[in-house]
Amino acid sequence: MDGLIRTLFKTFITSIILSIAVNCTYYYIGQRAKGYDTSHVIPLIITGGFFINVIILIMTLPSLFLTFPHLWNSKIVRLLLYFSGPVVFIITVLNISWKEGDSEVYLLTGVVFLIVHTFFYYRLTKKQA
């Protein structure tokens, strides 16, 4: 439970970098076949990726309650508090009707955040063991 804020910050920064790279690659591959110029969209992907990651980070803030030892020691509560934000974000994205192309970007960003968040969770729990 020590270093939880640092872990969330590392998750946030890493997720921003990876999600922007993944979304740029996805957009380039998807739109290249249609003949669109992708250079004008890159700044939009960067700012959108940043703000979507901020939203997911805010949804992940309940994991800071894990600083209390009685919550950290309960594995079920720990998993629920730690992973509820990104999972709820992904479920929400899957259940809302978006414009064409929006849901893929949101879903890719949410999945990248969840993967990075899981990686840092295992590193955090490995230190505790």
Side-chain angles (χ1 to χ4, degrees), residues 10-129:
K10 286 190 247 183
T11 299
F12 176 66
I13 296 299
T14 307
S15 177
I16 287 174
I17 294 167
L18 289 177
S19 66
I20 288 172
V22 167
N23 283 320
C24 284
T25 304
Y26 172 76
Y27 188 81
Y28 179 74
I29 291 171
Q31 299 303 324
R32 182 178 56 167
K34 296 178 183 177
Y36 292 120
D37 180 28
T38 58
S39 62
H40 69 284
V41 179
I42 301 299
L44 295 173
I45 291 173
I46 292 171
T47 55
F50 176 77
F51 286 121
I52 293 169
N53 276 290
V54 167
I55 291 168
I56 301 171
L57 177 68
I58 290 170
M59 293 177 73
T60 308
L61 288 180
S63 66
L64 293 177
F65 286 116
L66 293 174
T67 57
F68 298 114
H70 68 282
L71 294 176
W72 178 263
N73 293 331
S74 173
K75 190 170 185 173
I76 294 172
V77 172
R78 183 179 355 146
L79 289 172
L80 284 174
L81 283 175
Y82 197 83
F83 291 108
S84 62
V87 170
V88 167
F89 180 82
I90 291 170
I91 291 170
T92 303
V93 167
L94 291 173
N95 288 316
I96 293 180
S97 303
W98 302 94
K99 289 190 315 184
E100 181 183 341
D102 285 351
S103 62
E104 292 87 1
V105 172
Y106 295 144
L107 188 60
L108 283 172
T109 305
V111 168
V112 167
F113 191 96
L114 182 62
I115 291 169
V116 172
H117 200 49
T118 303
F119 171 76
F120 283 112
Y121 172 78
Y122 283 118
R123 285 190 54 191
L124 184 66
T125 55
K126 191 176 183 180
K127 285 183 189 178
Q128 301 294 325

